[in-house]
Amino acid sequence: MGLACRLSALGLLLSALLVCTRSQDRESVFAIVGEDFTFSPKVNGTIREITWMKNKDKAAEWEQDAKSPVYYYSLAERGVLETSSGNLTIKKLNIGDAAEYEAQVLPVGVDQLQYTKFVLAVLDPPPPSVLNCSITNGQIRISCEIQFSKDVRYSWYRDDRKIDANSPVLELKGNVNPSEKVLCVREVSKTKINNSISLSTCIPENPESLSRGRAGLIAFFVIIIILLLFMGALVVLWKRGLLSNILDQIPTKHSAVYKSEEQHLTDDDRFPEESGQKEEQRTLLNNILSDFREESPFPLPGYYENISGRNQEPEEKKNSKESLSMSQADHSFNQEKTDLKLESETD
């Protein structure tokens, strides 16, 4: 009886030591901010009860008689507990999710808990980077290495064909098709970073084509500078008021037609008001001459007979001729009066 008790006590001690030893086993894991991470505990048998602890606080728990798991604190909206496997998933990780997690599982028909511990580190995403290429000994060398505290897995693709290489550097022969593209995929945890590069950027261009490209670029910049100078000159002329004067001096089609039509117009057509005044003067002069003709016993020169007619000569010449004719008529009239007076005295 005493021996049985001793064996039983020894069994309990070994079980306690085994439980303590198992509870001290921890697995270090990491994930990237924004990822979904799943903890997978070691379970022997069918789960009757399970409790997940975050540090020393409950994070989630479930019992066989309950309909659904219960979540606590930050996992209330981001936690998913699978009751069949005991896996706990945290969605959209943040820095605050970094902690020690412990799964306490009680299987059916077993009175001892099974423990699994995880230490989760949540890291920022890897820094962005680009691919670099160079030519060494006739080979194209492309590098997509990134500096990160955890292991990085590299995959290469050449025009959508996977290349067997798990290395941050890829080497290709120099005689490649410049139109091809090379893709590098970097995987950290569940985060993938993809970058591609065209092989044409790695192959140096022909010097002749380079010179042509430079010449075309220089010509383009020269044209741009000339246009800017021309626009600047127009702005200066406009601010000084000289641009409108220059535009006024430029003949247009309408102005030429107007001038050609204006050349065929007479003075009377151009100045209708002056033409009417001159017509009234002619009418008044004809009335005076007609009255004078009726009272005078002598015939008047023929000039006064046609005074009402229009003359095509210029107005200045007409006025001078009319003045000269009137003075001659007055002179002849006075001469005739003098002759009549002498004849009367002689009689």
Side-chain angles (χ1 to χ4, degrees):
M1 198 64 188
L3 181 61
C5 290
R6 289 177 185 175
L7 291 175
S8 177
L10 182 60
L12 291 174
L13 180 60
L14 291 174
S15 299
L17 290 174
L18 181 62
V19 169
C20 292
T21 304
R22 185 178 297 173
S23 66
Q24 296 302 318
D25 292 340
R26 296 186 302 177
E27 182 181 355
S28 296
V29 293
F30 76 94
I32 305 299
V33 172
E35 291 182 347
D36 296 346
F37 187 80
T38 300
F39 300 99
S40 298
K42 296 176 181 179
V43 178
N44 295 323
T46 302
I47 297 177
R48 185 175 66 180
E49 295 179 8
I50 183 171
T51 302
W52 276 96
M53 305 290 291
K54 179 182 179 181
N55 294 331
K56 295 182 180 182
D57 300 322
K58 282 186 180 181
E61 65 178 351
W62 175 79
E63 293 181 1
Q64 193 174 25
D65 297 334
K67 294 182 179 179
S68 59
V70 178
Y71 302 96
Y72 300 92
Y73 302 108
S74 61
L75 298 187
E77 296 179 355
R78 298 184 298 120
V80 177
L81 176 59
E82 297 178 7
T83 58
S84 59
S85 62
N87 292 348
L88 176 66
T89 300
I90 303 176
K91 295 184 176 180
K92 297 181 180 180
L93 287 173
N94 55 53
I95 297 296
D97 293 325
E100 180 182 83
Y101 293 84
E102 182 183 62
Q104 300 174 359
V105 179
L106 181 63
V108 175
V110 179
D111 293 335
Q112 295 179 353
L113 292 174
Q114 299 177 2
Y115 298 92
T116 306
K117 284 188 177 183
F118 301 91
V119 178
L120 174 65
V122 181
L123 307 177
D124 290 325
S129 61
V130 296
L131 302 185
N132 299 316
C133 67
S134 60
I135 296 180
T136 306
N137 298 327
Q139 287 187 335
I140 297 176
R141 190 173 184 272
I142 304 174
S143 173
C144 68
E145 186 177 6
I146 57 174
Q147 301 297 326
F148 198 65
S149 59
K150 301 295 182 179
D151 292 337
V152 181
R153 297 182 298 276
Y154 295 90
S155 301
W156 293 91
Y157 296 84
R158 182 176 175 181
D159 274 356
D160 298 331
R161 298 189 308 272
K162 189 172 182 179
I163 301 174
D164 236 351
N166 184 15
S167 170
V169 178
L170 178 67
E171 292 185 353
L172 301 173
K173 293 182 179 181
N175 54 347
V176 295
N177 187 357
S179 63
E180 292 183 348
K181 287 186 177 181
V182 173
L183 173 68
C184 177
V185 180
R186 289 156 286 193
E187 296 182 53
V188 180
S189 183
K190 296 180 181 179
T191 299
K192 292 184 179 182
I193 305 171
N194 302 339
N195 288 104
S196 63
I197 189 171
S198 176
L199 294 180
S200 60
T201 60
C202 303
I203 301 173
E205 296 185 9
N206 190 355
E208 186 175 342
S209 62
L210 285 175
S211 62
R212 275 193 226 149
R214 288 197 192 102
L217 191 61
I218 292 171
F220 173 76
F221 281 112
V222 168
I223 292 173
I224 293 297
I225 291 172
I226 292 173
L227 289 176
L228 291 175
L229 291 175
F230 178 72
M231 293 176 66
L234 289 178
V235 171
V236 172
L237 291 174
W238 174 70
K239 287 185 177 180
R240 295 185 178 180
L242 300 176
L243 185 59
S244 58
N245 297 335
I246 294 174
L247 294 176
D248 292 338
Q249 294 177 3
I250 299 176
T252 60
K253 184 177 179 181
H254 297 288
S255 63
V257 173
Y258 175 77
K259 288 183 179 180
S260 62
E261 292 177 353
E262 188 179 8
Q263 290 175 357
H264 297 286
L265 297 176
T266 61
D267 293 337
D268 294 342
D269 295 330
R270 284 190 230 170
F271 309 100
E273 296 180 359
E274 295 183 4
S275 176
Q277 294 177 1
K278 292 178 180 179
E279 190 65 31
E280 292 178 359
Q281 292 177 1
R282 291 193 190 97
T283 304
L284 181 60
L285 182 59
N286 286 334
N287 294 335
I288 295 172
L289 290 176
S290 61
D291 295 338
F292 184 78
R293 188 186 299 113
E294 292 176 357
E295 294 178 359
S296 174
F298 304 102
L300 295 175
Y303 172 78
Y304 295 97
E305 299 291 335
N306 300 323
I307 192 68
S308 61
R310 292 199 175 194
N311 197 338
Q312 299 298 326
E313 295 179 353
E315 292 298 327
E316 294 180 359
K317 291 185 178 181
K318 284 183 179 181
N319 295 335
S320 62
K321 286 184 178 182
E322 288 176 359
S323 301
L324 181 59
S325 299
M326 291 180 65
S327 62
Q328 290 176 355
D330 293 340
H331 179 69
S332 60
F333 179 72
N334 293 331
Q335 186 66 34
E336 289 178 359
K337 281 182 73 178
T338 304
D339 292 341
L340 289 175
K341 186 176 181 181
L342 289 175
E343 288 179 1
S344 62
E345 289 178 356
T346 305
D347 291 339

